[in-house]
Amino acid sequence: MIALRPRIHDLYIGRVVLATVLLTWAVLLGFDVVMAISGQVGDLGKGSYDFPTALAVVAYSVPRRAYVIFPYAAVIGSLMGLGQLAATSELTALRALGLSRRRLSVSVAAALVILTALMVLNGETLAPWGQRQADQLKLAAKTNNVAMARYSGLWAREGDTFLNAIDGSERVVDGQRTLELRDVRLYQLAPEGGLQTLTRAAVAEHDSQGWRLRDVRRIHFAFSPGSAREERVTEERWDSQLDPAALAAGVTRPRNLSAADLRASIDYRTRNNLDAREYEDIYWSRWFYPLNVLALCLAAVPFAFGSLRSGGMGKRLFLGILFSLGFMLLQMQFGRLAGAFRFDYRIAYALPPILMMATSWWLFRRKSG
């Protein structure tokens, strides 16, 4: 039975692994940031979007980039750290003290749990916030206005009412977030399926008090031939459960949303019989993120014991990259299969880590000793 209390060798292995993972993480993140900055060059000169603004936009996106890159940095860094210990024969010494490969792997996993927990927290707080700030900063610079988000050709549904807005923007006025949609059409269907009312509003505004329609023109349709009635209202309240967050999710990439926003978007689409599978895909990938990191690392760790005395840093690095890319492709394939054949995403995201854990168990048995 493996003792749960950390010992000196656990702390030592954990320190080495953390150091190499952080170094690998920094290098990969640095490459990604450089590529992101070069990708902003094409937008320079649009409005007031200049190079310092581009740097700020990329800087805001760093937490999200760190979240995405971490699993691959974890497996490559872990193998590099164990390779460093193998090159100095420290793994051989630890094995001579009676520590099994499984026990050493637990030391590696325990160190990675800390970083994984921080990344999960980052993925739900700092990363979505930073990406929103980056998008808003870029939009405001390119359009020379204070818009926080732009909506164009927006469609949404709430119950038997369909909303269409030609244009709109999200702003902050006196510290209060306000959503303003322009040239709005509301199509309300009757239970029989026919068009019951058509409402046109110059502006639909949402704030903390709810929805407010301005310059309203409404046509009521009856089902008798040639029967219709029109009314005009300067301003009125619109009692609707349509969540502005769901509208924002409709124009924001799902991968840039937090799990809470994804859950709200899924509930909104499910409630209105809309397709929510794209959001379910990203939502469940968030839940399986910690398991994926640990499964990937544990499946790769046995390769570090292949040659304890020779080290083989290049071989371990190659295996780490191969495992990272292979796991990413496997997970993407299962996700696409779930979308194509419409089976539960929880099953799709559970299978790759299960396969990796089975691979790890088989390798440990094959190289036991």
Side-chain angles (χ1 to χ4, degrees):
M1 181 177 179
I2 298 176
L4 296 179
R5 192 178 71 176
R7 300 179 181 272
I8 294 178
H9 61 79
D10 295 317
L11 299 177
Y12 180 69
I13 293 175
R15 185 179 64 185
V16 172
V17 169
L18 285 177
T20 53
V21 168
L22 290 174
L23 177 61
T24 305
W25 198 6
V27 172
L28 294 178
L29 184 59
F31 278 124
D32 190 51
V33 167
V34 170
M35 294 298 294
I37 293 175
S38 65
Q40 301 295 317
V41 173
D43 291 326
L44 297 180
K46 295 180 180 179
S48 60
Y49 193 65
D50 53 13
F51 189 69
T53 306
L55 290 178
V57 167
V58 174
Y60 274 123
S61 70
V62 166
R64 180 187 63 79
R65 298 177 186 278
Y67 177 87
V68 174
I69 290 174
F70 173 69
Y72 314 115
V75 65
I76 295 173
S78 298
L79 290 174
M80 290 181 65
L82 290 175
Q84 176 183 330
L85 293 175
T88 56
S89 299
E90 290 175 275
L91 280 185
T92 305
L94 291 172
R95 293 296 312 286
L97 291 175
L99 297 176
S100 66
R101 291 187 174 96
R102 291 185 180 85
R103 186 65 180 86
L104 294 174
S105 298
V106 169
S107 302
V108 174
L112 292 176
V113 165
I114 300 173
L115 291 179
T116 303
L118 291 176
M119 275 300 96
V120 170
L121 181 62
N122 168 61
E124 297 305 313
T125 54
L126 190 58
W129 174 84
Q131 190 61 50
R132 284 196 301 270
Q133 295 298 115
D135 294 340
Q136 293 163 10
L137 178 60
K138 185 173 183 177
L139 174 65
K142 291 174 66 177
T143 57
N144 287 321
N145 58 36
V146 295
M148 295 181 60
R150 294 294 298 272
Y151 300 79
S152 178
L154 177 68
W155 282 92
R157 175 185 178 184
E158 181 61 36
D160 58 1
T161 301
F162 292 81
L163 177 146
N164 172 238
I166 302 301
D167 192 16
S169 61
E170 188 178 353
R171 305 172 185 273
V172 171
V173 179
D174 297 330
Q176 184 180 50
R177 190 181 298 267
T178 302
L179 173 63
E180 184 180 278
L181 303 178
R182 290 177 288 276
D183 197 358
V184 177
R185 294 169 176 81
L186 298 174
Y187 304 89
Q188 184 176 4
L189 302 182
E192 298 82 3
L195 182 61
Q196 182 172 334
T197 62
L198 169 59
T199 303
R200 295 190 63 174
V203 175
E205 184 179 89
H206 185 279
D207 53 24
S208 59
Q209 303 300 318
W211 287 98
R212 183 167 54 251
L213 304 179
R214 296 176 181 171
D215 192 9
V216 180
R217 176 188 175 190
R218 180 178 292 108
I219 300 176
H220 298 267
F221 296 95
F223 295 101
S224 58
S227 176
R229 178 173 57 87
E230 180 181 358
E231 66 174 326
R232 294 178 181 268
V233 181
T234 303
E235 181 176 315
E236 68 177 12
R237 287 285 178 181
W238 178 36
D239 186 15
S240 173
Q241 297 181 357
L242 186 63
D243 186 2
L247 296 178
V251 295
T252 304
R253 294 179 179 178
R255 65 186 178 89
N256 295 336
L257 298 174
S258 66
D261 291 336
L262 288 168
R263 183 70 262 175
S265 299
I266 292 171
D267 291 340
Y268 159 73
R269 282 161 174 77
T270 303
R271 186 172 66 248
N272 291 283
N273 297 320
L274 301 174
D275 187 8
R277 296 188 67 79
E278 182 181 6
Y279 294 85
E280 291 176 351
D281 185 359
I282 305 299
Y283 177 75
W284 288 113
S285 71
R286 296 286 180 81
W287 280 99
F288 282 95
Y289 180 90
L291 180 61
N292 289 336
V293 172
L294 296 179
L296 181 59
C297 293
L298 289 176
V301 161
F303 288 97
F305 298 96
S307 178
L308 295 180
R309 299 182 186 276
S310 61
M313 182 72 72
K315 177 182 177 182
R316 288 173 176 79
L317 182 59
F318 172 76
L319 289 174
I321 296 174
L322 185 64
F323 257 80
S324 299
L325 293 177
F327 184 79
M328 178 183 68
L329 293 174
L330 182 65
Q331 193 174 56
M332 287 177 57
Q333 187 64 30
F334 273 97
R336 290 176 179 176
L337 288 174
F341 294 99
R342 308 186 72 83
F343 62 86
D344 200 320
Y345 279 104
R346 287 170 288 188
I347 299 175
Y349 281 105
L351 286 177
I354 289 175
L355 291 175
M356 283 294 176
M357 295 296 289
T359 301
S360 176
W361 177 81
W362 178 76
L363 289 173
F364 272 121
R365 285 183 59 88
R366 181 170 174 266
K367 298 183 179 182
S368 61

